[in-house]
Amino acid sequence: MTLTPTTAVCETVELLDGDVLSVEQLARLCGVTPQWVLARVRDELLHATWQAGVCTFSVAAVWRARQMAAIERQFDADPALAALVADLSEEVQRLRAELAYHLARAV
C-alpha cells in the first residue's frame, strides 16, 4: 500500500462543529489526495454526506482521516486496518472521558 505523495501546506484553520468540508478541503487538511478521500468513502471507511450531489464531511472526519492517513503512511497499513485503529482510538477517548466524568462526580 503506497500513498501518493502530496505537498503539505501548513495552514491554521478554525473549524466549528457545524462546518462541512468538501472532498478537496478534507484532502488538503489531511495531506492526502482527493482520490484517497473518495476511495475511503467508497469503501465505507470515512462517513460522508451528500448535499445537492456534492460529497461533504463533518469536522469530526478531519481527525479520523488524519489518523487513518498517518497510520497508513507510518505502518504501510491497509486502509481497513487504519480505520479499525481509528475506531479503537475514538472508543478509548470516549471511555476516558466517561471515566473522568464519573471520577469527578465521586469526589
Side-chain angles (χ1 to χ4, degrees), residues 76-88:
D76 195 26
D78 178 78
L81 177 60
L84 177 62
V85 172
D87 289 342
L88 293 173

Side-chain angles (χ1 to χ4, degrees), residues 35-104:
Q35 293 78 13
W36 183 96
V37 173
L38 291 172
R40 287 3 175 234
V41 171
R42 183 194 65 234
D43 294 340
E44 298 180 358
L45 303 175
L46 276 177
H47 177 72
T49 55
W50 295 87
Q51 299 175 347
V54 177
C55 184
T56 61
F57 299 88
S58 69
V59 172
V62 174
W63 181 87
R64 180 175 176 81
R66 278 184 156 179
Q67 187 167 26
M68 288 172 56
I71 292 164
E72 288 181 35
R73 269 195 289 271
Q74 291 171 2
F75 302 104
D76 195 26
D78 178 78
L81 177 60
L84 177 62
V85 172
D87 289 342
L88 293 173
S89 295
E90 289 171 5
E91 182 66 11
V92 167
Q93 284 183 340
R94 187 191 67 75
L95 290 170
R96 284 182 178 159
E98 188 175 327
L99 178 61
Y101 171 78
H102 289 295
L103 290 175

